[in-house]
Amino acid sequence: MEHFLSTLFLAIFLATVINIILKKFGISQIIGYILTGIIISYGFHFKGADIASLDAIAEFGIVFLMFTIGLEISFDKIKKMKEILLLNGFLQVHISAVLIFLVTYFIFHLTIEVSLIVSLAFSLSSTAIVLPYLKSSKDIYTPYGEKTTAILIYQDLAVIPILLLISFLTNETLSIGQVIWNTFISAVIITVFMFVFGKRIIDWLLQFSSNTRLEELFIGAVFSIVIGASLMAEYLGFTYSLGAFLAGMIIADTKFRIKVESDISNFKDLLLGTFFFTVGTKIDIIYFLENTHIIVGLFLLIMLIKGLVVFLIIRRKSDKNTSVKSAIALCQVGEFSFAIFTLASSQHVIPVQTANFLTLISVMSMILTPFFLNNIYKISSLLAKDLYESDKIQPIDEQNHIIICGFSILGRIVARDLADRNMPFVVVSNDLRQIQVATKMGYKAFFGHLEKRSVLEALKVEKSSSVIVTITETHDKILICDAILKYCPEANIILKYESLEEKHLLIDLKIKKFVHAHAEVGRLLVEEATHCCDLNLHRYD
């Protein structure tokens, strides 16, 4: 236990320090976890280091990752996105797998079993890196973001049959027909049980634990559901991940989805980090350095194959730039390749040395992926004209106008009021969905980040009468207001704040007008109450 705790302490401490540094460069925390594993396996050869004991925790990380993916895939979402999800996803995974299989089997002369697993593993992209980027950058609402997300969801669905295939390949006692029949019967049993009986049990357990208003009981109920479903799937001959995935899909169609997702997010991220840490401990860094040219060459080959496949699939019904950006976002190898190669090597389907070499290709892919994503607009602009690129705004011919930053509910109310008063204004937002709504309403709206100087210049901030900031995130408010005042110190910024603590963070900025959101709402409520009181007095008179 002492050695296990020592290893766990080093892993958490180093991962925290490394990820703090990598965060400043916009690099995914997954890379930090992998680097932590490499450093500990090579740099800390203390007596009795119990790295192997972390494998159990790492397996829980994969289980909870599949559970959270199930939470994202409700039946309603599949129905709404069925064309781009099922068709584009099916074509991407299967065409990529076929092409990679042909390369590995006929050029590199791997066995059929190894070529099949490699091709399926490399056909998947990184949900853990790409999806958070799309959400944080708001690109998830762009055409390429929607199509990329749909393909990622299909890939996540495809993980289940791939893991089942590995179990099929390890069976030496039954014939192919018997294995397929047993697998089909077991799949029917677990699906019927989970969606008929399991759904009622899960809904009752979540409802009961939620009514207690004790958070620890609700989280305990969620853990019980995930672990119970995983054990049932394993008992029927499937993987733990399948049970967790089905449990997530069931909860996705209940009213508890958002609460469950938020409550377990930190647990899932920490457990998944442990999985990537154990991946790092298995990397032979010396072998990696000696064969870097081969690893990079194979990665570029895979990236080229997948990129071309995605481009051609998306290009059927989309513009060239959307197709290019989708290809860039999906050309890498994903984190599930680690799980697939680990399972395949443990089941002796793939030799351990081959699995370690393939893992190095996946690591190289994930190291380079954040660079491609952070520069996706620059790279795509070299190949095709971008119709939706942010911050590329033609200078407007306005003066004494009002700039509305953000177009959520508050921004729309402000815009509607200004329009009723016939006052000139423009809208700017880094959320393309908001810009599309503003454009449909007939307003001048621009897709961009107001903290960037090129956007400030294009919107003529120095000639505006005021800038109304309607966004809610304190960090974004500070960035935007600081950029505006550096560009134009005399800018008339009107800013809404939620609390005195938030105002204290903003007080150093020379903002002309603060508006307390709750104070203004309270004033309006009192006015309405007073008005009603006056009406009642007149009625009694």
Side-chain angles (χ1 to χ4, degrees):
M1 176 61 73
E2 180 182 352
H3 296 143
F4 170 73
L5 291 178
S6 299
T7 307
L8 187 62
F9 164 73
L10 275 175
I12 295 175
F13 176 75
L14 283 176
T16 302
V17 174
I18 291 173
N19 280 321
I20 289 174
I21 298 172
L22 295 182
K23 183 67 175 177
K24 295 182 180 296
F25 298 96
I27 300 176
S28 171
Q29 69 272 18
I30 292 175
I31 307 302
Y33 291 126
I34 294 175
L35 290 177
T36 301
I38 295 173
I39 292 172
I40 288 182
S41 63
Y42 276 89
F44 295 90
H45 294 287
F46 52 89
K47 184 178 179 181
D50 196 6
I51 294 175
S53 61
L54 293 176
D55 287 341
I57 301 177
E59 188 169 3
F60 272 113
I62 292 296
V63 166
F64 274 89
L65 174 63
M66 291 304 298
F67 175 67
T68 54
I69 289 172
L71 287 174
E72 295 284 342
I73 308 176
S74 64
F75 286 108
D76 288 338
K77 178 175 286 189
I78 292 177
K79 290 178 182 178
K80 292 178 182 178
M81 304 176 67
K82 60 183 179 181
E83 181 178 354
I84 60 175
L85 189 156
L86 298 178
L87 180 58
N88 289 354
F90 177 86
L91 292 174
Q92 185 276 319
V93 170
H94 290 81
I95 294 176
S96 297
V98 168
L99 294 177
I100 296 173
F101 175 85
L102 294 175
V103 171
T104 54
Y105 183 71
F106 289 104
I107 297 179
F108 293 99
H109 305 293
L110 299 179
T111 64
I112 293 179
E113 292 83 0
V114 174
S115 298
L116 184 60
I117 292 176
V118 171
S119 63
L120 291 171
F122 282 171
S123 69
L124 306 177
S125 305
S126 177
T127 302
I129 294 181
V130 177
L131 200 56
Y133 168 81
L134 293 176
K135 289 181 178 179
S136 63
S137 65
K138 303 296 191 301
D139 280 2
I140 196 169
Y141 303 117
T142 63
Y144 100 85
E146 292 178 350
K147 292 173 173 57
T148 298
T149 301
I151 292 177
L152 285 172
I153 292 174
Y154 184 89
Q155 290 180 356
D156 294 336
L157 289 170
V159 171
I160 299 300
I162 293 174
L163 295 177
L164 292 177
L165 175 64
I166 296 176
S167 300
F168 161 74
L169 293 175
T170 59
N171 194 298
E172 298 178 353
T173 59
L174 300 177
S175 65
I176 294 178
Q178 289 174 316
V179 171
I180 293 176
W181 175 251
N182 291 343
T183 301
F184 174 76
I185 294 299
S186 299
V188 171
I189 292 174
I190 190 173
T191 302
V192 170
F193 179 84
M194 290 294 293
F195 283 94
V196 177
F197 302 103
K199 185 173 184 179
R200 296 179 181 179
I201 296 172
I202 289 173
D203 190 65
W204 174 83
L205 188 57
L206 292 177
Q207 183 68 53
F208 182 78
S209 60
S210 177
N211 290 339
T212 63
R213 300 186 181 280
L214 294 174
E215 290 298 319
E216 61 269 24
L217 293 182
F218 186 82
I219 294 176
V222 174
F223 272 67
S224 299
I225 291 168
V226 176
I227 296 173
S230 301
L231 289 173
M232 179 183 175
E234 196 273 339
Y235 177 77
L236 292 174
F238 297 103
T239 62
Y240 292 113
S241 301
L242 175 61
F245 178 79
L246 292 176
M249 285 193 69
I250 291 172
I251 295 177
D253 285 319
T254 69
K255 62 182 179 181
F256 299 104
R257 182 184 68 83
I258 296 177
K259 178 173 175 55
V260 170
E261 190 174 19
S262 62
D263 284 352
I264 71 165
S265 60
N266 292 330
F267 294 102
K268 183 265 296 182
D269 292 339
L270 185 59
L271 291 169
L272 188 61
T274 308
F275 168 73
F276 288 112
F277 163 76
T278 57
V279 169
T281 62
K282 295 179 175 65
I283 292 176
D284 187 341
I285 194 67
I286 297 176
Y287 181 82
F288 179 83
L289 295 175
E290 291 176 348
N291 297 275
T292 302
H293 58 292
I294 300 175
I295 295 169
V296 172
L298 291 175
F299 161 67
L300 293 176
L301 177 62
I302 295 167
M303 184 180 70
L304 180 63
I305 292 173
K306 292 181 65 177
L308 285 174
V309 170
V310 174
F311 174 82
L312 294 174
I313 291 171
I314 303 299
R315 190 69 177 93
R316 295 176 303 116
K317 295 185 177 181
S318 300
D319 60 89
K320 185 177 180 180
N321 189 268
T322 297
S323 306
V324 170
K325 287 205 285 285
S326 300
I328 295 171
L330 294 170
C331 66
Q332 80 288 138
V333 180
E335 61 278 352
F336 278 117
S337 62
F338 297 134
I340 292 170
F341 295 143
T342 300
L343 178 61
S345 62
S346 65
Q347 298 291 334
H348 307 293
V349 180
I350 293 181
V352 175
Q353 186 176 2
T354 302
N356 291 338
F357 176 78
L358 296 170
T359 298
L360 292 177
I361 297 176
S362 301
V363 171
M364 172 65 70
S365 173
M366 301 191 78
I367 290 175
L368 295 177
T369 295
F371 168 79
F372 289 127
L373 293 175
N374 291 330
N375 295 278
I376 193 168
Y377 283 99
K378 293 180 181 179
I379 298 173
S380 62
S381 64
L382 298 175
L383 303 173
K385 182 180 179 181
D386 194 349
L387 302 177
Y388 297 97
E389 183 175 1
S390 64
D391 308 323
K392 297 295 184 180
I393 301 174
Q394 293 295 326
I396 63 175
D397 186 17
E398 296 280 353
Q399 59 181 357
N400 201 33
H401 57 292
I402 297 172
I403 300 174
I404 303 174
C405 180
F407 201 69
S408 56
I409 295 175
L410 179 59
R412 295 171 195 179
I413 293 173
V414 171
R416 191 179 299 114
D417 196 1
L418 291 175
D420 292 340
R421 298 167 186 256
N422 292 320
M423 299 182 68
F425 69 91
V426 297
V427 176
V428 60
S429 173
N430 63 353
D431 188 335
L432 182 59
R433 183 176 53 177
Q434 293 182 359
I435 297 305
Q436 291 171 336
V437 171
T439 303
K440 289 180 181 179
M441 296 174 69
Y443 304 143
K444 287 184 179 179
F446 301 94
F447 182 35
H449 298 75
L450 200 56
E451 67 268 24
K452 294 189 176 181
R453 187 178 182 88
S454 60
V455 176
L456 297 172
E457 293 174 348
L459 297 181
K460 304 289 181 64
V461 170
E462 71 279 5
K463 294 184 179 182
S464 66
S465 61
S466 58
V467 179
I468 302 177
V469 180
T470 68
I471 59 177
T472 57
E473 293 293 332
T474 303
H475 176 69
D476 294 337
K477 291 179 183 178
I478 295 173
L479 286 178
I480 291 171
C481 293
D482 184 57
I484 292 173
L485 292 172
K486 284 181 179 178
Y487 173 73
C488 180
E490 300 301 320
N492 180 34
I493 299 176
I494 302 173
L495 181 66
K496 170 183 72 73
Y497 68 96
E498 301 287 342
S499 63
L500 292 177
E501 289 79 9
E502 185 179 42
K503 185 178 181 181
H504 180 73
L505 294 173
L506 298 163
I507 201 68
D508 292 335
L509 300 172
K510 296 180 180 179
I511 297 173
K512 298 293 177 65
K513 177 66 176 178
F514 283 101
V515 177
H516 194 303
H518 302 300
E520 289 300 310
V521 172
R523 182 181 61 80
L524 291 173
L525 290 173
V526 171
E527 288 182 0
E528 288 296 324
T530 303
H531 178 67
C532 292
C533 183
D534 291 339
L535 290 176
N536 288 333
L537 288 175
H538 286 300
R539 185 184 305 165
Y540 293 140
D541 290 342

Coordinates of all heavy atoms in Angstrom, one line a residue, residues 484-528:
I484 N -10.3 46.5 -25.1 CA -10.9 47.7 -25.6 C -10.2 48.9 -25.1 O -10.0 49.9 -25.8 CB -12.4 47.7 -25.3 CG1 -13.2 46.6 -26.0 CG2 -13.1 49.0 -25.6 CD1 -14.6 46.4 -25.5
L485 N -10.0 48.9 -23.8 CA -9.4 50.1 -23.2 C -7.9 50.4 -23.6 O -7.5 51.5 -23.7 CB -9.5 50.0 -21.7 CG -10.9 50.1 -21.1 CD1 -10.9 49.7 -19.6 CD2 -11.5 51.4 -21.4
K486 N -7.2 49.3 -23.9 CA -5.9 49.5 -24.4 C -5.9 50.0 -25.9 O -5.0 50.8 -26.2 CB -5.1 48.1 -24.5 CG -4.7 47.6 -23.1 CD -3.9 46.3 -23.2 CE -3.4 45.9 -21.8 NZ -2.8 44.6 -21.8
Y487 N -6.9 49.6 -26.6 CA -7.0 50.1 -28.0 C -7.6 51.6 -28.0 O -7.1 52.4 -28.7 CB -8.0 49.2 -28.8 CG -8.3 49.7 -30.1 CD1 -7.4 49.7 -31.2 CD2 -9.6 50.2 -30.4 CE1 -7.7 50.2 -32.4 CE2 -10.0 50.7 -31.6 CZ -9.0 50.7 -32.7 OH -9.4 51.2 -33.9
C488 N -8.6 51.8 -27.1 CA -9.2 53.1 -27.1 C -9.5 53.5 -25.6 O -10.6 53.1 -25.1 CB -10.5 53.2 -27.9 SG -11.3 54.7 -27.9
P489 N -8.6 54.1 -24.9 CA -8.8 54.4 -23.5 C -10.1 55.2 -23.2 O -10.6 55.1 -22.0 CB -7.6 55.2 -23.1 CG -6.5 54.9 -24.1 CD -7.3 54.6 -25.4
E490 N -10.6 55.9 -24.1 CA -11.8 56.7 -23.9 C -13.1 56.0 -24.2 O -14.2 56.6 -24.2 CB -11.7 58.0 -24.7 CG -10.5 58.9 -24.4 CD -10.5 59.3 -23.0 OE1 -11.6 59.6 -22.4 OE2 -9.4 59.3 -22.4
A491 N -13.0 54.7 -24.5 CA -14.2 54.0 -24.9 C -15.2 53.9 -23.8 O -14.8 53.8 -22.6 CB -13.8 52.5 -25.3
N492 N -16.5 54.1 -24.1 CA -17.6 54.1 -23.1 C -18.1 52.7 -23.0 O -19.0 52.3 -23.7 CB -18.6 55.1 -23.6 CG -19.8 55.1 -22.6 OD1 -19.6 55.0 -21.4 ND2 -21.0 55.3 -23.1
I493 N -17.6 51.9 -22.0 CA -18.0 50.6 -21.8 C -19.1 50.5 -20.7 O -19.0 51.1 -19.6 CB -16.8 49.7 -21.3 CG1 -15.7 49.7 -22.4 CG2 -17.2 48.3 -21.0 CD1 -14.4 48.9 -22.0
I494 N -20.2 49.8 -21.0 CA -21.2 49.6 -20.1 C -21.3 48.1 -19.8 O -21.5 47.3 -20.7 CB -22.6 50.0 -20.7 CG1 -22.5 51.5 -21.0 CG2 -23.7 49.8 -19.7 CD1 -23.8 52.0 -21.7
L495 N -21.1 47.7 -18.5 CA -20.8 46.3 -18.2 C -21.8 45.9 -17.1 O -22.0 46.6 -16.1 CB -19.4 46.1 -17.7 CG -19.0 44.7 -17.3 CD1 -19.0 43.8 -18.5 CD2 -17.6 44.8 -16.7
K496 N -22.4 44.7 -17.3 CA -23.2 44.1 -16.3 C -22.4 43.2 -15.4 O -21.5 42.4 -15.8 CB -24.3 43.3 -16.9 CG -25.1 42.4 -16.0 CD -26.1 41.5 -16.8 CE -25.4 40.4 -17.5 NZ -24.9 39.3 -16.7
Y497 N -22.6 43.3 -14.0 CA -21.9 42.4 -13.1 C -22.9 41.7 -12.2 O -23.9 42.2 -11.9 CB -20.8 43.2 -12.3 CG -21.4 44.2 -11.3 CD1 -21.5 43.8 -10.0 CD2 -21.7 45.5 -11.7 CE1 -22.0 44.7 -9.1 CE2 -22.2 46.4 -10.8 CZ -22.3 46.0 -9.5 OH -22.8 46.9 -8.6
E498 N -22.5 40.5 -11.8 CA -23.5 39.7 -11.1 C -23.3 39.8 -9.6 O -24.3 39.6 -8.8 CB -23.3 38.2 -11.5 CG -23.4 37.9 -12.9 CD -24.9 37.9 -13.4 OE1 -25.8 37.9 -12.5 OE2 -25.1 38.1 -14.6
S499 N -22.1 40.1 -9.1 CA -21.9 40.1 -7.6 C -20.8 41.2 -7.3 O -20.1 41.7 -8.2 CB -21.5 38.8 -7.1 OG -20.2 38.4 -7.7
L500 N -20.7 41.5 -6.0 CA -19.7 42.4 -5.6 C -18.3 41.8 -5.8 O -17.3 42.6 -6.1 CB -19.9 42.8 -4.1 CG -21.1 43.6 -3.8 CD1 -21.3 43.8 -2.3 CD2 -21.1 44.9 -4.5
E501 N -18.1 40.5 -5.7 CA -16.9 39.9 -5.9 C -16.4 40.1 -7.4 O -15.3 40.3 -7.6 CB -16.9 38.4 -5.6 CG -17.1 38.0 -4.1 CD -18.5 38.2 -3.6 OE1 -19.4 38.5 -4.4 OE2 -18.7 38.2 -2.4
E502 N -17.4 39.9 -8.3 CA -17.1 40.1 -9.7 C -16.7 41.6 -10.0 O -15.7 41.9 -10.7 CB -18.2 39.7 -10.6 CG -17.9 39.8 -12.1 CD -19.1 39.3 -12.9 OE1 -20.2 39.7 -12.6 OE2 -18.8 38.6 -13.9
K503 N -17.4 42.5 -9.4 CA -17.1 43.9 -9.5 C -15.7 44.3 -9.0 O -15.0 45.1 -9.6 CB -18.1 44.8 -8.8 CG -17.9 46.3 -9.1 CD -19.0 47.1 -8.5 CE -18.8 48.6 -8.8 NZ -19.8 49.5 -8.1
H504 N -15.3 43.6 -7.9 CA -14.0 43.8 -7.3 C -12.9 43.4 -8.3 O -11.9 44.0 -8.4 CB -13.9 43.1 -6.0 CG -12.5 43.2 -5.4 ND1 -12.1 44.4 -4.8 CD2 -11.5 42.4 -5.3 CE1 -10.9 44.2 -4.3 NE2 -10.5 43.0 -4.6
L505 N -13.1 42.3 -9.1 CA -12.2 41.8 -10.1 C -12.1 42.8 -11.2 O -11.0 42.9 -11.9 CB -12.6 40.4 -10.6 CG -12.5 39.3 -9.5 CD1 -13.1 38.0 -10.1 CD2 -11.1 39.1 -9.1
L506 N -13.2 43.5 -11.5 CA -13.2 44.4 -12.7 C -12.9 45.9 -12.3 O -12.8 46.7 -13.2 CB -14.6 44.3 -13.3 CG -15.0 43.0 -13.9 CD1 -16.5 42.9 -14.1 CD2 -14.3 42.7 -15.2
I507 N -12.7 46.2 -11.0 CA -12.7 47.5 -10.6 C -11.4 48.3 -11.1 O -11.4 49.5 -11.2 CB -12.7 47.6 -9.0 CG1 -13.2 49.0 -8.6 CG2 -11.4 47.2 -8.4 CD1 -14.6 49.3 -8.9
D508 N -10.3 47.5 -11.3 CA -9.1 48.1 -11.8 C -9.2 48.7 -13.2 O -8.4 49.5 -13.7 CB -7.9 47.1 -11.8 CG -7.5 46.8 -10.3 OD1 -7.8 47.6 -9.4 OD2 -7.0 45.7 -10.1
L509 N -10.2 48.1 -14.0 CA -10.4 48.6 -15.4 C -11.2 49.9 -15.3 O -12.2 50.0 -14.5 CB -11.2 47.6 -16.2 CG -10.5 46.2 -16.3 CD1 -11.4 45.2 -17.0 CD2 -9.2 46.4 -17.1
K510 N -10.9 50.8 -16.1 CA -11.6 52.2 -16.1 C -12.9 52.1 -17.0 O -13.0 52.7 -18.0 CB -10.6 53.2 -16.7 CG -9.4 53.4 -15.8 CD -8.5 54.5 -16.4 CE -7.3 54.7 -15.5 NZ -6.3 55.7 -16.0
I511 N -13.8 51.4 -16.4 CA -15.1 51.2 -17.1 C -16.0 52.3 -16.6 O -16.1 52.6 -15.5 CB -15.7 49.8 -16.7 CG1 -14.8 48.7 -17.2 CG2 -17.1 49.6 -17.3 CD1 -15.1 47.3 -16.8
K512 N -16.7 52.9 -17.6 CA -17.5 54.1 -17.4 C -18.8 53.8 -16.6 O -19.2 54.6 -15.7 CB -17.9 54.8 -18.7 CG -16.7 55.2 -19.5 CD -16.0 56.4 -18.9 CE -14.8 56.8 -19.7 NZ -15.1 57.4 -21.0
K513 N -19.4 52.7 -16.8 CA -20.7 52.4 -16.2 C -20.8 50.9 -15.8 O -20.7 50.0 -16.7 CB -21.8 52.8 -17.1 CG -23.2 52.5 -16.6 CD -23.6 53.3 -15.4 CE -25.0 53.1 -15.0 NZ -25.4 53.8 -13.8
F514 N -21.1 50.7 -14.5 CA -21.4 49.3 -14.1 C -22.9 49.2 -13.8 O -23.5 50.1 -13.3 CB -20.6 49.0 -12.8 CG -19.2 48.6 -12.9 CD1 -18.2 49.6 -12.7 CD2 -18.8 47.4 -13.4 CE1 -16.9 49.3 -12.8 CE2 -17.5 47.1 -13.5 CZ -16.5 48.0 -13.3
V515 N -23.5 48.1 -14.2 CA -24.9 47.9 -13.9 C -25.0 46.6 -13.2 O -24.6 45.5 -13.6 CB -25.7 47.8 -15.3 CG1 -27.1 47.5 -14.9 CG2 -25.6 49.1 -16.0
H516 N -25.6 46.6 -12.0 CA -25.7 45.4 -11.1 C -27.0 44.7 -11.6 O -28.1 45.3 -11.6 CB -25.9 45.8 -9.7 CG -25.7 44.6 -8.7 ND1 -26.5 43.5 -8.8 CD2 -24.9 44.4 -7.7 CE1 -26.2 42.7 -7.9 NE2 -25.2 43.2 -7.2
A517 N -26.8 43.5 -12.1 CA -28.0 42.8 -12.7 C -29.1 42.6 -11.7 O -30.3 42.9 -12.0 CB -27.5 41.4 -13.2
H518 N -28.8 42.1 -10.5 CA -29.9 41.8 -9.6 C -30.5 43.1 -9.1 O -31.7 43.1 -8.8 CB -29.3 41.0 -8.4 CG -28.7 39.7 -8.8 ND1 -29.4 38.8 -9.5 CD2 -27.4 39.3 -8.7 CE1 -28.6 37.7 -9.8 NE2 -27.4 38.0 -9.3
A519 N -29.7 44.2 -8.9 CA -30.3 45.5 -8.5 C -31.3 46.0 -9.5 O -32.4 46.5 -9.1 CB -29.2 46.5 -8.2
E520 N -31.0 45.9 -10.7 CA -31.9 46.4 -11.8 C -33.1 45.6 -11.8 O -34.2 46.1 -12.0 CB -31.2 46.4 -13.1 CG -30.1 47.4 -13.3 CD -30.6 48.8 -13.1 OE1 -31.7 49.2 -13.7 OE2 -30.1 49.6 -12.2
V521 N -33.0 44.3 -11.7 CA -34.2 43.4 -11.7 C -35.0 43.7 -10.5 O -36.3 43.8 -10.6 CB -33.7 41.9 -11.7 CG1 -35.0 41.0 -11.5 CG2 -33.1 41.6 -13.0
G522 N -34.4 43.9 -9.4 CA -35.1 44.2 -8.1 C -35.9 45.5 -8.3 O -37.0 45.6 -7.8
R523 N -35.2 46.5 -8.9 CA -35.9 47.8 -9.1 C -37.1 47.6 -10.0 O -38.2 48.2 -9.7 CB -34.9 48.8 -9.7 CG -35.5 50.2 -9.9 CD -34.5 51.1 -10.6 NE -34.0 50.6 -11.9 CZ -34.8 50.7 -13.0 NH1 -35.9 51.4 -13.0 NH2 -34.3 50.3 -14.1
L524 N -37.0 46.9 -11.0 CA -38.2 46.6 -11.9 C -39.3 45.9 -11.2 O -40.5 46.2 -11.4 CB -37.7 45.9 -13.2 CG -36.8 46.6 -14.1 CD1 -36.3 45.7 -15.2 CD2 -37.5 47.8 -14.7
L525 N -38.9 44.9 -10.4 CA -40.0 44.2 -9.6 C -40.7 45.1 -8.7 O -41.9 45.0 -8.6 CB -39.3 43.0 -8.9 CG -38.8 41.9 -9.7 CD1 -38.0 40.9 -8.8 CD2 -39.9 41.1 -10.5
V526 N -40.0 46.0 -8.0 CA -40.6 46.9 -7.1 C -41.5 47.9 -7.9 O -42.7 48.2 -7.4 CB -39.6 47.7 -6.3 CG1 -40.2 48.9 -5.5 CG2 -38.8 46.8 -5.4
E527 N -41.1 48.3 -9.0 CA -41.9 49.2 -9.9 C -43.2 48.5 -10.3 O -44.3 49.1 -10.2 CB -41.1 49.7 -11.1 CG -40.0 50.7 -10.8 CD -39.3 51.1 -12.1 OE1 -39.7 50.6 -13.2 OE2 -38.4 51.9 -12.0
E528 N -43.1 47.2 -10.7 CA -44.3 46.5 -11.1 C -45.2 46.3 -9.9 O -46.5 46.5 -10.0 CB -43.9 45.1 -11.6 CG -43.3 45.2 -13.0 CD -44.2 45.7 -14.1 OE1 -45.4 45.4 -14.0 OE2 -43.8 46.5 -14.9

